Amino acid sequence: MELRQLQYFVKVAKKQHVTQAAEELHVAQSAVSRQIHQLEEELGVSLFVQKGRNLQLTSVGKLFLSRMETILLDLERAVTEVREFLDPEAGEIRIGFPHSLGIYLLPTVVASFRKSHPNVKFRLRQGTYNSLIRDVMKGEIDLAFISPFPDNHDHVSGHLLLQEELYAIVPQGHELAEQGTIRLEQLKDDSFVMFSEEYSLRSIVLEACDKAGFVPQIGFEGEETDTIRGLVAAGMGVSLLPEMALTEISQLQPAKVRVTDPKVTRSIGLIQRAGDRLPPVAERFQSYLVHFFSDT
């Protein structure tokens, strides 16, 4: 069994198509088909079945894929660790983040770190709360910024970095736009522009509204802070957004008002796979972040 066969198998399983897999691998289609056939002969089982123009994994093929993905990821990490051991300043950090932290926080800390480590590369992956935890657990990324920070989790661990305040945002002509502070209850009759259900900020806002004694009327839903901010500025409703998501100035700019009752915050942390040893360069970045936020 050769490494090339396993790599070709995983690629075909992901694409469900030999031609597309061959194109991404930059090899002939016949070479991919031949390696898959040899792998099936050596294992004595069929890994794929033809369904229309696509290939689908058999039940044993699905089992084999789950094992091979883990093995190939571990192999990739082993090669990376060896390269970093030879040149620890030229490694790669695979890091995930939610969209709301990609506007200001992530660029700030990456740029700061690279001032003293200019040859370190970053592979970035944006995701939702659940997808980031899943990617860390599967070993597809080394670290992930996440909010809210999971205090107790069986499969990930990490560091709480900071607590960030959420502000109410309202259209510029809103009756509360000029207020210094408000009670969240004062927005109970307004239509809310809310994050979609898979986003953790939605649950934070819903919980805050519940503490304030009302269920928000949801008029619009969105998946990015820029969209929500723009809809509010255009008069489509009100919302709550983290302070970092309101640093950028745009043509459509809502009014920002502090909420004091209840005060709404979110925790932001950095996670890794529990019990796992990070690659040296990722461990260095993790240590840098912990000190960066403790000093800020």
Side-chain angles (χ1 to χ4, degrees), residues 129-272:
Y129 181 85
N130 289 327
S131 70
L132 290 171
I133 289 181
R134 183 183 66 243
D135 290 345
V136 168
M137 288 169 53
K138 292 173 65 177
E140 294 184 1
I141 52 179
D142 304 308
L143 297 164
F145 287 106
I146 198 162
S147 177
F149 178 69
D151 291 318
N152 296 297
H153 196 285
D154 292 337
H155 303 292
V156 299
S157 61
H159 302 271
L160 175 63
L161 299 178
L162 73 152
Q163 294 280 349
E164 182 186 21
E165 188 172 356
L166 271 68
Y167 283 75
I169 57 171
V170 300
Q172 290 290 349
H174 194 279
E175 61 182 1
L176 300 176
E178 301 299 326
Q179 298 293 314
T181 62
I182 63 169
R183 302 184 317 279
L184 187 56
E185 179 190 12
Q186 292 176 262
L187 297 176
K188 66 180 181 180
D189 295 327
D190 286 273
S191 175
F192 273 70
V193 182
M194 194 75 74
F195 280 92
S196 301
E197 290 187 357
E198 63 267 30
Y199 290 85
S200 58
L201 281 170
R202 180 189 179 100
S203 59
I204 293 174
V205 174
L206 289 175
E207 183 179 343
C209 291
D210 181 63
K211 287 182 180 178
F214 71 96
V215 176
Q217 306 169 38
I218 301 175
F220 294 88
E221 294 187 358
E223 296 185 350
E224 294 190 348
T225 54
D226 292 345
T227 302
I228 289 176
R229 187 176 63 180
L231 286 169
V232 171
M236 299 296 105
V238 302
S239 192
L240 296 178
L241 282 183
E243 186 174 13
M244 279 186 281
L246 300 171
T247 55
E248 186 181 359
I249 303 299
S250 63
Q251 288 183 328
L252 281 175
Q253 191 72 17
K256 165 185 165 184
V257 186
R258 173 169 268 124
V259 179
T260 57
D261 182 20
K263 185 175 182 180
V264 189
T265 64
R266 66 167 177 172
S267 58
I268 298 173
L270 187 72
I271 59 170
Q272 68 178 85

Side-chain angles (χ1 to χ4, degrees), residues 61-74:
K62 292 178 181 178
L63 174 63
F64 192 64
L65 174 64
S66 66
R67 298 294 188 185
M68 287 307 102
E69 284 184 309
T70 301
I71 290 171
L72 291 177
L73 276 171
D74 286 343

Side-chain angles (χ1 to χ4, degrees), residues 14 53 55-56 64 112 115 139 213 239 291:
K14 293 292 187 183
R53 295 183 178 181
L55 290 176
Q56 286 193 347
F64 192 64
S112 178
K115 287 179 181 178
S239 192
H291 285 93

Side-chain angles (χ1 to χ4, degrees), residues 111-125:
S112 178
F113 181 76
R114 279 177 57 86
K115 287 179 181 178
S116 54
H117 303 85
N119 295 321
V120 172
K121 298 179 180 64
F122 284 84
R123 190 189 304 179
L124 307 177
R125 177 178 293 190

Side-chain angles (χ1 to χ4, degrees), residues 49-63:
V49 291
Q50 191 78 38
K51 190 164 186 180
R53 295 183 178 181
N54 293 342
L55 290 176
Q56 286 193 347
L57 288 167
T58 61
S59 57
V60 71
K62 292 178 181 178
L63 174 63

